[in-house]
Amino acid sequence: MTDNTDQQTSQNASTKRWRFGVLKKVDGFLLWAILLICLLPLLPLLFSWFNLEPELWQHLWNTQIPQLLSNTFWLVLLVGGGSFLIGVSLAWLIVMHDFPGRSILQWGLMLPLAIPPYILAFTLLGFTDYEGPLQHLLEAVGLGVAWLPDTRNVFGVALIFTLSLYPYVYLLMRSALQRKGRTSYESARTLGYSRAKAFWRLVIPLTRPAWIAGLGLVLMETLADFGAVAIFNFDTFTTAIYKSWYGFFSAGTAAQLACILLLFVALSVLVEKWGRGQSRYEQTGIALKEYRQPLTGWWGWLVQIFAWTVFALGFVLPVIQLMVWAIKTYERHTDGTLELLSHTMILAVVAALITLVVAGIMVWAKRNRESASRNLAIEFSQLGYALPGTVLAVGIMMALNWIDGGIASLFGIKGQWLASGLFALILAYIIRFLRIGYGPVASSMSQIKPSVVEAAASLGADQKERLWRVYIPLLRPGVFTALLLMFVEVMKELPATLMLRPFGWDTLAVRIYELTSEGEWEVAALPAVLLVAVGILPVIYLIKKSES
């Protein structure tokens, strides 16, 4: 009897080891399959250089390329400089000083993150443009409008991006100052450093990982944008890619322009890596809560006016303008708006859930067996976040056309089965936002110590019980964060949706683009209000998380 029991126990253990071994191989196979799919859009872009169209390139070089390079260079320079100045200065103001209204500005300065640049662009342009509310106000008080500067240039576009994206720098810099900057500054002051010297020689170098990481996000978002530059009719590589695709009907030229844009993105990533060096930005430690210096005198008033002006231009004024327009044009919207909302929600939910499953497989593969090759595969699988939507759309469309062509030649089934449906769009969302889904889940998984799982196993919990009673409850916060962030990002995404959506699957973002391209800014307000209302949810979550 004892021998039979021992034999049965040995067989069970052997079966479990076999299952575990199979699981290890399966998650490794899935990880490499995910990497292959995520890199798939890059291959057609690289191979596109074997099929140059000299006449079209000569035309582009004579008419567009030098201007595109100049526009992109100045736009990146102005947005990067503006975001650094506003983000760092406001973070310093909030952390180190005390003044009336500080508690409101502390979280209010992050709210512009809820407004995509293309919504901020047409809202502020409509407010300041000819026959806009600002000009009516100036004429009513007798100041005239002749002195108002023209905003439809690189400075106007840069202002829009800066007001919309500076919170990336502000958020990370504020957290870094709370943990490192204050003590360094106060130590330098006790050693006799002046305020300016202590700030520039100690605080800025010590907080470099934070503001460099924020600037990296700002520059990638600027290079990837399509909607805001289209509203200002300001040509960049994203608009040129779109025009080559739909204007010249040249997929190869669009892919080659996408490669050039990709070089800019890679350059910004390398600069960000080089700027941070070996340092990494981590939200760890306990925020210091010490004495803040009161702001007094005329300098204090000027600084407060600056902070409130940024808050008003970046969030308050656009929201008020959108609400006024939405109420004014409410009757012009029909049931079509509800259909757009349902399309947007369905795409966002489906894409977020699938991306979460993919991210979960990657996290589990790393947990099962961490190795250099698996870490490399995971890093390269997340490169899609650095790809602008237009570049990703061109790559996916060309890759899926190749696959459709292969299916047709092998099986005789003609048609664009993969390239013309929702599959291409969902795939673009997954590749684009996989990093957003992976980060929170991986962070939650890293907090589950092996000793906790081992303790559950020692108490008799099998693998199924450990999954449901240990892993899932502890992963729940990270999963919720990932789902929320991906849901909102998919809802706001414009360029890939515009280029890949199948017929009859317009979204709120696409509708806003179509209306603003026709000058119907007031009618575009209601869809924009819906997007801003949804987009504000993760911002509030981030605010609460940063204050906890």
Side-chain angles (χ1 to χ4, degrees), residues 77 82 143 180 190 239 256 353 362 404 486 548:
L77 187 67
L143 293 178
K180 294 180 179 178
T190 58
T239 56
Q256 291 146 18
L353 288 175
M362 293 166 61
D404 282 333
M486 288 187 294
S548 61

Side-chain angles (χ1 to χ4, degrees), residues 185-197:
Y185 176 77
E186 291 173 351
S187 300
R189 291 286 291 154
T190 58
L191 293 175
Y193 279 50
S194 66
R195 292 180 179 178
K197 197 173 180 180

Side-chain angles (χ1 to χ4, degrees), residues 311-509:
F311 178 47
L313 290 177
F315 185 76
V316 178
L317 184 61
V319 169
I320 293 175
Q321 180 68 82
L322 286 174
M323 294 295 292
V324 171
W325 280 345
I327 294 171
K328 185 178 176 182
T329 61
Y330 177 77
E331 293 181 350
R332 295 179 62 180
H333 291 275
T334 60
D335 294 340
T337 303
L338 293 178
E339 187 180 8
L340 293 173
L341 181 61
S342 67
H343 287 170
T344 308
M345 299 280 285
I346 290 171
L347 287 173
V349 169
V350 171
L353 288 175
I354 297 176
T355 309
L356 182 66
V357 172
V358 175
I361 293 172
M362 293 166 61
V363 171
W364 189 250
K366 185 176 182 179
R367 178 81 173 191
N368 266 342
R369 191 178 69 181
E370 188 162 355
S371 64
S373 60
R374 289 196 175 202
N375 290 338
L376 199 63
I378 290 171
E379 283 296 321
F380 275 91
S381 298
Q382 301 173 66
L383 285 179
Y385 187 65
L387 295 178
T390 48
V391 176
L392 190 60
V394 171
I396 285 179
M397 184 62 75
M398 295 181 74
L400 295 184
N401 277 329
W402 283 358
I403 296 174
D404 282 333
I407 293 174
S409 60
L410 285 176
F411 304 103
I413 305 173
K414 295 184 178 180
Q416 291 183 312
W417 297 96
L418 299 177
S420 62
L422 285 175
F423 177 81
L425 188 55
I426 298 292
L427 181 61
Y429 290 148
I430 294 171
I431 296 174
R432 179 85 168 87
F433 301 119
L434 184 55
R435 177 176 287 274
I436 295 178
Y438 175 82
V441 181
S443 177
S444 294
M445 180 66 87
S446 67
Q447 295 175 21
I448 304 176
K449 297 180 180 178
S451 58
V452 176
V453 183
E454 290 168 2
S458 67
L459 293 173
D462 57 18
Q463 289 188 2
K464 187 177 179 181
E465 287 178 312
R466 293 200 292 272
L467 174 65
W468 288 101
R469 302 181 66 176
V470 177
Y471 282 111
I472 289 181
L474 294 176
L475 287 174
R476 194 175 298 152
V479 169
F480 174 74
T481 303
L483 275 176
L484 183 62
L485 292 177
M486 288 187 294
F487 177 79
V488 174
E489 288 296 330
V490 172
M491 286 194 71
K492 294 191 297 184
E493 208 285 333
L494 174 61
T497 311
L498 186 65
M499 298 177 73
L500 293 176
R501 74 194 192 284
F503 179 75
W505 270 89
D506 287 352
T507 64
L508 288 173

Side-chain angles (χ1 to χ4, degrees), residues 111-120 164 314-316 318-319 322 492 532:
L111 291 179
L113 276 178
I115 304 179
Y118 55 85
I119 292 180
L120 187 65
S164 182
F315 185 76
V316 178
V319 169
L322 286 174
K492 294 191 297 184
V532 172

Side-chain angles (χ1 to χ4, degrees), residues 128-149:
T128 59
D129 218 2
Y130 180 70
E131 290 296 317
L134 178 63
Q135 295 201 6
H136 282 299
L137 178 64
L138 291 175
E139 288 175 347
V141 297
L143 293 178
V145 297
W147 57 273
L148 283 177

Side-chain angles (χ1 to χ4, degrees), residues 44-45 48-49 241 245 250-260 394 398:
L45 301 183
S48 67
W49 290 100
I241 292 169
W245 187 277
S250 175
T253 306
Q256 291 146 18
L257 288 171
C259 286
I260 298 176
V394 171
M398 295 181 74

